[in-house]
Amino acid sequence: MRKAARFSLFFLQMGILFLTFTMIVSVPACAAGLPPHPSELQLNQEVVHYRGELTLRYYNADDNGWIGIYPAGSEELVAVRELDASEGSVSFQLRSDGLTPGSYTAVLYRDRLTEAARQDFSVVRQNFYAGQEVYDLGSDGYFYYDEDAADAGKGAWIGIYPADGDPAAMRSLLWGYLPDGSSQIYTDDLDGNGERFSSLPAGEYQAVLFLSEDGEPYRSFYFSIEEPEGIYAVYRRSDSALPNTAEGEVVLYGNSSAGRYWLYWGDEDGLLEDYLPLGSITEEDSWTFTLHPNQEAPAGSTRIYLYPGSSSGPDTDAAPVTVVLPDDITAEPDTMLTSFVVMTDTHVSKSTSFIYNRTFKQAMEDIIETMPEAEFMINLGDTVNNGWYSEYQMLQRLIKRYQRLAPEQYFLIGNHDMLLNKGDPEIQIQMWEEATGMPNVYYSFVKQGYSFIVLGSEGQEAGELATDEAWFSEDQLSWLKEELAAAEARDPDLPIFVFCHQPLQDTGPGTNNSLIVQNDELEEILREYPQVIYFSGHTHYSMDADGVVLTASDGKPNTVHGGCSSYLWDDDGAYDGSEGCLVEIYPDYIRIRGRNFAEGFWMGSAQYILYMEE
């Protein structure tokens, strides 16, 4: 929670003087969990322990705005916060601010006299309680508990029962063990008995805390689930989601005049900086946004904010619909060991002003500015657009232009570099090697103890290959086997990074057809090494497409599609865009962070985690 600066004695005295004014209540209390109206107030939770902290977020206040807290039904002001911005948040330390157990109303005043919004909340003394007394149908939240429960060990658990049920004589509707080292549990983590909290029907319930498997009820808390009015959204995690990933969906409910909602990662303070929106949803999407397998929430994400808008963008002046997220949708913090940058399909042209050359420069400048700690960068092929000598001359000039400031650069050969397999492969390879400085179309290197293996098409006689195919000689495949064995011998616990311009068949968007002549043989070789992560380009699909990062399965390795820096492609055709990714290596996982080079932001919809098989 955010820690707001304490107000001065002067402001406290000013707050008390406000009691002499007649307060006109103009805005009804918001229903629990509903998004705020214009000039509004939003609680992080509606039930708080009296020794805890209450955080309120406000919108569209004036410079003279303030927030006051009153006992329910009373005009006796017990706490006040002056506001120094039109939008932000304030916090109250309940005990020191004099908020004893009971019911209260927080009121936002747009200026000194005009009430703009209010929210009701409760302060409780009991040490087991839910974050809300009333939940919206389909929503989630948290249960909070005391140190006795947190210290009880793995046998402590929470069960959900009908309000009039007897926990000692009936089976719980759903239940879950308390997590280690915490004092709260996300409601949708209570998934015992095959039920989900967000799937419970409207009604009256009790949550019961047990300190042991077969013990007596220790504490209980009563709450209800109701069908709300207005617009609200829920997050539902997929049953197949890997640990500490966000795979699932966000669903918007209710009637809205907005034609579209835009989704952003955020925390209690608002939107996360440096991230583009996850995307948008419309009625045609059934108001549902899908978070893909392996997708991770950026560190610090505790909310998703949905702003109304149109196809041209969101209305960020409007108050958003807010979804509270569980804790375990981001990988556990750890020390990053090293990192490298991936870009692909640069398609450099002979003309300085050609758009692909401009996107190449833009990507390089963004990488230099935002990823200075990267160990190296690797271009996954189609470095030039047509495989012409004049293009290779331009590529060589661009490489030298950024050589001093950019991370060390490595290159792959792609089908466009090979003149779309229509020319003499030896000549094409020679031009590519001279321009990039690479020793061969296949080679390897080691950085920080990690093995990096580059594969590349050697071509065949003109006409023998389709324009986008790759062909590997037996020498290259034999060399690959030796390199993999050597990498494993150096350290069998480390991932092995394999790069090729063309993807393996059926490993992501645009890979339905085989683009490697020896696809099956290559898969068979890689199958012996579950620690392999195979990176490819070629398809031009966006980093946020479904399947761009896949965990090893069905005999295929872990795979990563690296985006495209020149232009993007989807099932409807080509469109403008420039993307790549930063790959961060941690002791227990690999993080892939999609980067939008054109806009200079991290992609909110393209951060992924790969866990390495033990």
Side-chain angles (χ1 to χ4, degrees):
M1 297 184 182
R2 293 161 296 155
K3 303 290 192 289
R6 294 193 175 279
F7 56 89
S8 66
L9 178 61
F10 169 78
F11 283 141
L12 178 60
Q13 293 169 338
M14 288 295 292
I16 295 173
L17 288 175
F18 286 135
L19 294 174
T20 61
F21 292 93
T22 300
M23 303 300 179
I24 303 173
V25 179
S26 60
V27 180
C30 293
L34 291 183
H37 301 294
S39 296
E40 273 191 59
L41 206 55
Q42 192 174 25
L43 292 169
N44 63 327
Q45 62 187 80
E46 295 176 1
V47 180
V48 192
H49 193 270
Y50 81 106
R51 293 179 181 269
E53 181 183 59
L54 176 73
T55 300
L56 301 102
R57 183 160 185 80
Y58 61 90
Y59 300 88
N60 300 327
D62 290 343
D63 292 340
N64 294 324
W66 58 287
I67 293 174
I69 293 182
Y70 304 84
S74 171
E75 294 185 354
E76 178 187 358
L77 185 66
V78 294
V80 65
R81 291 288 187 274
E82 297 284 334
L83 307 181
D84 57 7
S86 62
E87 178 178 330
S89 60
V90 295
S91 295
F92 294 84
Q93 301 293 332
L94 300 185
R95 192 176 187 187
S96 59
D97 279 316
L99 277 71
T100 57
S103 298
Y104 294 87
T105 299
V107 182
L108 168 66
Y109 294 91
R110 187 197 311 275
D111 49 36
R112 291 301 180 188
L113 299 177
T114 307
E115 180 182 331
R118 56 171 53 205
Q119 274 278 21
D120 295 328
F121 66 95
S122 299
V123 178
V124 298
R125 188 181 297 276
Q126 64 259 44
N127 291 325
F128 173 60
Y129 59 96
Q132 297 172 207
E133 292 179 321
V134 179
Y135 284 90
D136 293 333
L137 184 67
S139 66
D140 291 303
Y142 290 89
F143 286 114
Y144 302 86
Y145 46 88
D146 62 8
E147 293 180 358
D148 289 342
D151 294 339
K154 293 185 177 180
W157 59 285
I158 292 173
I160 305 297
Y161 301 85
D164 56 359
D166 180 3
M170 67 179 298
R171 185 178 187 235
S172 62
L173 299 174
L174 64 154
W175 64 277
Y177 289 114
L178 304 188
D180 293 336
S182 179
S183 60
Q184 64 188 54
I185 183 172
Y186 183 56
T187 54
D188 226 18
D189 286 339
L190 305 174
D191 55 4
N193 301 337
E195 184 65 276
R196 289 279 186 177
F197 186 89
S198 57
S199 300
L200 291 174
E204 304 292 326
Y205 296 91
Q206 60 174 315
V208 181
L209 173 63
F210 299 84
L211 296 185
S212 62
E213 293 274 8
D214 302 319
E216 297 295 318
Y218 174 66
R219 295 279 191 271
S220 62
F221 184 85
Y222 289 84
F223 64 93
S224 62
I225 296 176
E226 297 180 356
E227 294 190 22
E229 298 177 356
I231 307 296
Y232 68 101
V234 299
Y235 164 75
R236 293 196 180 96
R237 190 176 183 189
S238 171
D239 292 337
S240 61
L242 294 172
N244 299 313
T245 64
E247 180 186 357
E249 61 183 18
V250 178
V251 184
L252 187 73
Y253 293 93
N255 296 315
S256 172
S257 58
R260 187 181 296 265
Y261 278 82
W262 292 83
L263 291 79
Y264 290 83
W265 296 113
D267 58 17
E268 295 87 344
D269 295 322
L271 306 185
L272 294 190
E273 295 183 359
D274 297 328
Y275 282 91
L276 293 171
L278 285 83
S280 65
I281 52 175
T282 66
E283 190 171 6
E284 292 181 358
D285 308 316
S286 300
W287 296 113
T288 299
F289 185 86
T290 300
L291 297 165
H292 301 306
N294 296 88
Q295 191 168 345
E296 179 199 36
S301 301
T302 60
R303 307 282 192 275
I304 289 179
Y305 293 96
L306 294 88
Y307 283 90
S310 64
S311 58
S312 60
D315 178 7
T316 52
D317 290 330
V321 179
T322 305
V323 179
V324 178
L325 298 171
D327 293 332
D328 59 346
I329 58 176
T330 301
E332 294 291 336
D334 208 339
T335 301
M336 186 176 70
L337 303 176
T338 189
S339 64
F340 62 92
V341 181
V342 173
M343 64 188 301
T344 185
D345 293 85
T346 48
H347 289 272
V348 167
S349 172
K350 63 180 181 179
S351 171
T352 303
S353 61
F354 195 68
I355 185 171
Y356 299 159
N357 293 19
R358 298 201 304 271
T359 56
F360 179 89
K361 295 174 185 177
Q362 188 176 39
M364 291 299 297
E365 289 164 5
D366 184 75
I367 290 166
I368 291 168
E369 180 180 356
T370 63
M371 308 175 200
E373 303 302 321
E375 180 84 6
F376 66 90
M377 61 180 294
I378 189 162
N379 186 318
L380 301 185
D382 280 1
T383 53
V384 298
N385 197 36
N386 299 290
W388 298 337
Y389 178 70
S390 57
E391 293 175 338
Y392 280 119
Q393 287 182 308
M394 176 61 71
L395 174 65
Q396 194 169 36
R397 288 199 292 271
L398 289 172
I399 292 172
K400 290 181 179 179
R401 174 175 179 172
Y402 297 104
Q403 200 164 30
R404 185 175 62 85
L405 296 176
E408 184 179 6
Q409 299 180 62
Y410 292 90
F411 295 87
L412 276 67
I413 196 165
N415 56 300
H416 279 256
D417 301 314
M418 296 290 287
L419 197 64
L420 299 174
N421 294 324
K422 293 179 181 178
D424 185 326
E426 290 187 6
I427 293 175
Q428 296 302 129
I429 290 172
Q430 182 180 359
M431 288 192 297
W432 177 85
E433 289 176 349
E434 289 176 353
T436 62
M438 297 299 102
N440 197 353
V441 295
Y442 60 94
Y443 59 93
S444 67
F445 56 96
V446 177
K447 298 283 188 182
Q448 303 288 341
Y450 294 93
S451 300
F452 301 90
I453 301 172
V454 172
L455 305 178
S457 177
E458 297 167 78
Q460 287 182 327
E461 293 298 326
E464 292 188 16
L465 290 179
T467 57
D468 54 0
E469 280 186 318
W471 178 85
F472 306 141
S473 68
E474 287 300 320
D475 287 345
Q476 182 173 177
L477 294 176
S478 296
W479 170 87
L480 173 61
K481 294 175 185 178
E482 295 173 358
E483 289 293 320
L484 290 169
E488 185 173 62
R490 277 191 289 271
D491 192 329
D493 295 326
L494 294 183
I496 302 172
F497 299 91
V498 177
F499 304 94
C500 182
H501 176 69
Q502 283 89 345
L504 294 168
Q505 186 175 9
D506 296 327
T507 57
T511 64
N512 295 335
N513 299 317
S514 174
L515 298 172
I516 300 173
V517 174
Q518 296 87 354
N519 183 91
D520 294 346
E521 186 176 353
L522 178 57
E523 284 189 11
E524 185 177 350
I525 294 171
L526 299 178
R527 195 172 300 140
E528 301 298 318
Y529 300 89
Q531 67 270 49
V532 161
I533 306 176
Y534 183 96
F535 284 79
S536 63
H538 185 73
T539 67
H540 288 235
Y541 274 80
S542 170
M543 285 292 300
D544 62 9
D546 187 15
V548 298
V549 175
L550 295 175
T551 299
S553 64
D554 299 327
K556 299 180 185 296
N558 304 288
T559 55
V560 177
H561 165 68
C564 177
S565 74
S566 55
Y567 66 93
L568 298 175
W569 185 275
D570 62 18
D571 294 342
D572 295 323
Y575 62 99
D576 291 339
S578 180
E579 299 174 0
C581 61
L582 176 67
V583 181
E584 300 175 346
I585 304 176
Y586 295 83
D588 296 322
Y589 57 85
I590 310 297
R591 174 175 286 135
I592 299 100
R593 302 182 65 193
R595 182 75 180 177
N596 187 312
F597 296 133
E599 298 191 47
F601 285 94
W602 297 108
M603 299 174 65
S605 55
Q607 182 161 301
Y608 304 94
I609 288 292
L610 277 174
Y611 291 100
M612 303 315 300
E613 184 174 322
E614 297 182 358

